[in-house]
Amino acid sequence: MWKGILLVLTGAISFGILSTIVKLGYHEGFTLGELCSIQAGFGMLALWGIHLLSGRTTYGLKNKDVRTCFILGSSTGLVSITYYQSVQYIPASIAIILLMQFTWMSMLAEWLIYKKRPSAIQWVAVAFILTGTLLAGGVFNSSGLNLDWRGIGFGVLAAIFYTTFIVVSGRVGQSLTPVLKSAWIVTGAFLLITLIFPPTYLWNGRLTAPPLWLWGLPLATFGTVLPPFLFSKGMPQTGVALGAILSAAELPVATIAATIVLHEQVTPLQIAGVLIILSAIVAANLKKRKAALAKSEVLNP
């Protein structure tokens, strides 16, 4: 259990520092297309390399799973594009809050698509998450944050695309190992990003001067390689409900990183909003965890 907790927490921390790395990349003069492309490209190479070195056989793979994961990669590619575009217009600490709206969007999506009706505690959690978002977004600050609506729009789009990935990914690619599944997903993401942003850095000298590859390494490591691997290893040990609570750590991590590294101003009201969002996520998933434990005790007295 404790090993699983450590793995999931590390994965959440990895995701949490991404927005700060991207913001620093913008300050160095790199573009949205360059950062998205180099992350997906390096991540794809790393995941395929890990798969080949693992020596795992491809026997028993279903072509349908491969195709579905490859197509699913387009949603992760769109998450990167819209989320990093949002970071370009608004503070990183606000962009991550908008992305976290996937927590209630995925609940509604499962209700509409799979007829999985939310519980009362989940509805209460949604209300608290939305309230916390308004506080964390600085809506009630006396001075106001004067946020760019383009950043808000791209942040909401990122949450929608991430919701698509969350709802679908758990139901596809069952015949694939976690690494191979991630490799196909990231390959699909890289193809989509390449179609939108051709990798001109490969021939115009931007890859090495200025050294774009130096930014590709941390982006791929913390955004593409480590989180899927750590979550796939840790989630079975913690359970989905506890894993969801732990993965919410990316929100305070992103806020703290933006405050310390980027010197973004975070007011007490915004901190209160972040705490309300975290509390709502924890409360909703604790309820699911208790229900799962009760069911397990009934089936295995």
Side-chain angles (χ1 to χ4, degrees):
M1 172 67 76
W2 287 108
K3 180 181 177 182
I5 289 173
L6 181 61
L7 290 171
V8 175
L9 270 178
T10 306
I13 291 170
S14 298
F15 267 139
I17 63 177
L18 267 184
S19 56
T20 296
I21 297 174
V22 171
K23 201 82 168 182
L24 291 172
Y26 285 145
H27 291 165
E28 292 296 317
F30 297 112
T31 65
L32 168 68
E34 289 173 337
L35 294 174
C36 288
S37 179
I38 200 70
Q39 174 183 331
F42 277 21
M44 177 182 67
L45 293 175
L47 288 169
W48 280 113
I50 294 171
H51 171 68
L52 294 174
L53 290 173
S54 69
R56 293 288 184 92
T57 178
T58 57
Y59 178 77
L61 297 185
K62 297 179 181 179
N63 290 332
K64 180 181 178 182
D65 284 342
V66 172
R67 290 195 303 269
T68 306
C69 288
F70 184 78
I71 295 172
L72 183 62
S74 62
S75 67
T76 61
L78 290 171
V79 170
S80 295
I81 292 171
T82 51
Y83 180 46
Y84 294 171
Q85 185 74 81
S86 176
V87 170
Q88 196 168 25
Y89 292 119
I90 60 178
S93 56
I94 302 298
I96 184 63
I97 291 168
L98 294 175
L99 179 64
M100 291 297 291
Q101 302 309 301
F102 81 86
T103 52
W104 63 266
M105 289 183 180
S106 57
M107 183 191 74
L108 292 182
E110 287 196 323
W111 183 22
L112 294 174
I113 299 172
Y114 301 109
K115 310 303 179 184
K116 189 176 179 181
R117 188 179 181 85
S119 63
I121 188 65
Q122 287 177 312
W123 283 118
V124 173
V126 169
F128 274 96
I129 289 172
L130 293 175
T131 302
T133 300
L134 293 176
L135 287 170
V139 173
F140 302 113
N141 287 357
S142 58
S143 58
L145 291 181
N146 194 27
L147 299 177
D148 191 317
W149 282 101
R150 290 174 295 179
I152 296 175
F154 280 116
V156 173
L157 280 176
I160 293 173
F161 291 132
Y162 195 43
T163 297
T164 302
F165 174 75
I166 291 294
V167 172
V168 177
S169 64
R171 294 173 170 83
V172 300
Q174 301 299 322
S175 69
L176 309 179
T177 64
V179 172
L180 185 56
K181 180 178 178 179
S182 298
W184 278 115
I185 289 173
V186 176
T187 300
F190 178 71
L191 178 60
L192 176 75
I193 292 171
T194 299
L195 292 174
I196 299 174
F197 301 109
T200 55
Y201 56 83
L202 292 176
W203 56 80
N204 65 9
R206 295 274 288 176
L207 182 62
T208 55
L212 176 61
W213 66 271
L214 283 177
W215 294 90
L217 291 176
L219 284 173
T221 300
F222 296 119
T224 307
V225 179
L226 277 182
F229 175 76
L230 294 171
F231 286 156
S232 65
K233 290 289 186 180
M235 286 289 188
Q237 300 176 45
T238 63
V240 176
L242 179 57
I245 295 171
L246 296 170
S247 62
E250 71 178 87
L251 175 55
V253 168
T255 304
I256 293 170
T259 304
I260 296 175
V261 179
L262 302 176
H263 306 293
E264 293 182 359
Q265 183 179 5
V266 179
T267 67
L269 274 179
Q270 288 177 273
I271 295 174
V274 170
L275 293 176
I276 289 173
I277 293 172
L278 288 174
S279 300
I281 294 172
V282 169
N285 285 284
L286 276 178
K287 183 72 174 181
K288 288 195 291 185
R289 179 170 171 77
K290 289 179 180 178
L293 289 174
K295 183 179 179 180
S296 177
E297 290 176 358
V298 171
L299 295 176
N300 304 288

